[in-house]
Amino acid sequence: MKSSTKDRVIDALLITMMILPFLGAMALNILTKPLSEGITVTGAQIYFTIDMPLQPLYITEAQVVSVAVVIALLGLCLFLTRKLSIRPISKRQVIAEMIVETMDKLVAGNMGQRFMGFAPFIAAILGLSALSSLCSLLGLFPPTSDINIVAGWAILVFILITYYKLKGGVLPYLKGFLEPIPVMLPMNILSEFSTPVSMAFRHYGNVMSGSVIAVLIAAALSGLSSLVLGWLPGALGDIPFLRVGLPAVLSLYFDIFSGCMQAFIFAMLTMLNVSIGFPEELYEKRQAKKLAKKANK
């Protein structure tokens, strides 16, 4: 097999890797979704449950779509980073380099040079969140409309925030809960654990509310169309003419603009909370003490 033919086959497989998971999720949704009359607002569909020691594990549509998003992102990354070279540069390499440079600038501007290693993580958060919200354009349940999915992301970010706060030492970290006065201990503890809660509910609430508003407006326009144009003869009176156009425009706003905006906000909060929580002075002092001890030995 010639090299060019082999490359085309691999590219086709990677493109299939990006598309096939969504087609599978759409087929599964169509085959298992129960019939319903009118417009309904429901959570993620439960496909099946797995018995576990503490409680059943529910496999939902949100989890299946999340796996599809991860596989598609993996395929996209492999597709963009294949056959990298210094010269000549392919179009896909230009796109890949542009993404890397944009993420590096974003992290450097918000976190500083010390945290440049966070660029791939922030890019993963942006891609995962944005693509999860855009799944609604395919008729799939967006994982960002499931509080369990978004809460998992927020807990992971909270672990990172706490990890970098502890870089200054465990004792200074614990003393911080007593500042400015010891009586503030309960409030400081509450403030500490409110970070992942606020991040999760902000992201989930904005995406979910957009979906609910779009559905409610579509239902209202259906009723208004029936009231105003119901006098038309025959089947024409049953067609919701007023629903044509506006719900689609609202869907584009809530699914594309709002979904991508919430992904950017979540990434920004991640960067700011990690960088602000990092005690740089205490960390530098600890590192200096460690170097002094090594030098004395």
Side-chain angles (χ1 to χ4, degrees), residues 205-256:
N206 281 285
V207 175
M208 186 61 184
S209 62
S211 301
V212 172
I213 291 172
V215 171
L216 292 177
I217 291 177
L221 290 175
S222 294
L224 183 62
S225 180
S226 177
L227 181 64
V228 175
L229 303 175
W231 55 270
L232 293 175
L236 291 176
D238 297 329
I239 299 176
F241 288 102
L242 298 182
R243 276 186 60 186
V244 178
L246 183 57
V249 173
L250 290 174
S251 178
L252 289 175
Y253 169 77
F254 288 120
D255 294 337
I256 298 179

Side-chain angles (χ1 to χ4, degrees), residues 84-266:
L84 299 178
S85 61
I86 299 177
R87 287 289 185 275
I89 299 177
S90 62
K91 293 181 180 178
R92 72 177 73 178
Q93 184 171 339
V94 171
I95 296 173
E97 291 179 356
M98 183 174 62
I99 293 173
V100 171
E101 291 175 359
T102 302
M103 289 298 103
D104 286 342
K105 291 179 181 178
L106 185 65
V107 172
N110 291 279
M111 303 182 75
Q113 294 296 324
R114 183 187 293 274
F115 294 95
M116 290 305 296
F118 261 76
F121 180 72
I122 298 301
I125 288 179
L126 280 169
L128 182 61
S129 178
L131 192 55
S132 295
S133 297
L134 294 176
C135 285
S136 58
L137 296 175
L138 302 175
L140 298 172
F141 182 87
T144 45
S145 291
D146 190 334
I147 186 61
N148 299 291
I149 300 294
V150 184
W153 302 349
I155 291 172
L156 175 60
V157 171
F158 178 67
I159 293 173
L160 282 173
I161 295 171
T162 305
Y163 171 77
Y164 279 94
K165 283 184 177 180
L166 289 171
K167 287 283 189 177
V170 176
L171 189 58
Y173 172 74
L174 296 176
K175 284 183 177 179
F177 288 102
L178 302 175
E179 296 177 353
I181 54 177
V183 75
M184 293 296 294
L185 175 63
M187 295 300 296
N188 287 333
I189 293 176
L190 183 62
S191 176
E192 185 77 3
F193 288 97
S194 67
T195 299
V197 175
S198 64
M199 290 182 67
F201 276 94
R202 179 184 287 107
H203 198 329
Y204 158 76
N206 281 285
V207 175
M208 186 61 184
S209 62
S211 301
V212 172
I213 291 172
V215 171
L216 292 177
I217 291 177
L221 290 175
S222 294
L224 183 62
S225 180
S226 177
L227 181 64
V228 175
L229 303 175
W231 55 270
L232 293 175
L236 291 176
D238 297 329
I239 299 176
F241 288 102
L242 298 182
R243 276 186 60 186
V244 178
L246 183 57
V249 173
L250 290 174
S251 178
L252 289 175
Y253 169 77
F254 288 120
D255 294 337
I256 298 179
F257 176 76
S258 182
C260 294
M261 180 60 68
Q262 292 307 316
F264 179 74
I265 291 173
F266 192 90

Side-chain angles (χ1 to χ4, degrees), residues 68-91:
V69 169
V70 171
I71 295 174
L73 285 175
L74 175 60
L76 177 62
C77 292
L78 294 176
F79 179 79
L80 292 178
T81 55
R82 279 200 69 246
K83 297 182 71 66
L84 299 178
S85 61
I86 299 177
R87 287 289 185 275
I89 299 177
S90 62
K91 293 181 180 178

